[in-house]
Amino acid sequence: MLRRKLGSLAAFAISIFPATAASAAVALDPEGSGVLVNAVNWLQGTLLGTFATVVAVIAVASVGFMMLTGRINWRHGAVVILGCFILFGAATIVAGIRHASEIG
């Protein structure tokens, strides 16, 4: 039962974070897929690079200010901050899920 849940959780994580999954499976890619792998790696670099960091800092700062002034619900602010943690921790989350599924 636990193995089935971990498998479905890993499949869910891979469907959400395909760039991380594709970059982790570079050694298993078929011939001729180098262009697609390079495109996905570029997309991952763009989404997790300087642009994403700047957007996340602005989002957290503006949501934090709105939470302090009472303009936004604390739950909505926590969701934005949690989303930033998930975005930047996606590679670590997927690695942990893969490690947990290999052990069991």
Side-chain angles (χ1 to χ4, degrees):
M1 174 105 174
L2 179 64
R3 185 172 177 86
R4 185 174 59 167
K5 284 184 180 180
L6 286 175
S8 64
L9 184 60
F12 175 71
I14 287 172
S15 68
I16 291 178
F17 307 112
T20 305
S23 65
V26 170
L28 303 175
D29 291 331
E31 288 185 35
S33 66
V35 175
L36 296 175
V37 171
N38 289 338
V40 170
N41 285 335
W42 173 82
L43 184 63
Q44 179 184 8
T46 301
L47 292 177
L48 295 177
T50 307
F51 179 73
T53 304
V54 170
V55 170
V57 167
I58 292 171
V60 170
S62 62
V63 167
F65 183 72
M66 287 173 36
M67 285 174 18
L68 288 175
T69 57
R71 295 180 184 183
I72 192 172
N73 189 352
W74 283 83
R75 286 185 182 178
H76 295 301
V79 167
V80 170
I81 294 169
L82 181 66
C84 291
F85 278 114
I86 291 173
L87 174 68
F88 291 112
T92 306
I93 293 169
V94 171
I97 292 171
R98 290 183 62 163
H99 180 68
S101 67
E102 290 173 359
I103 290 175

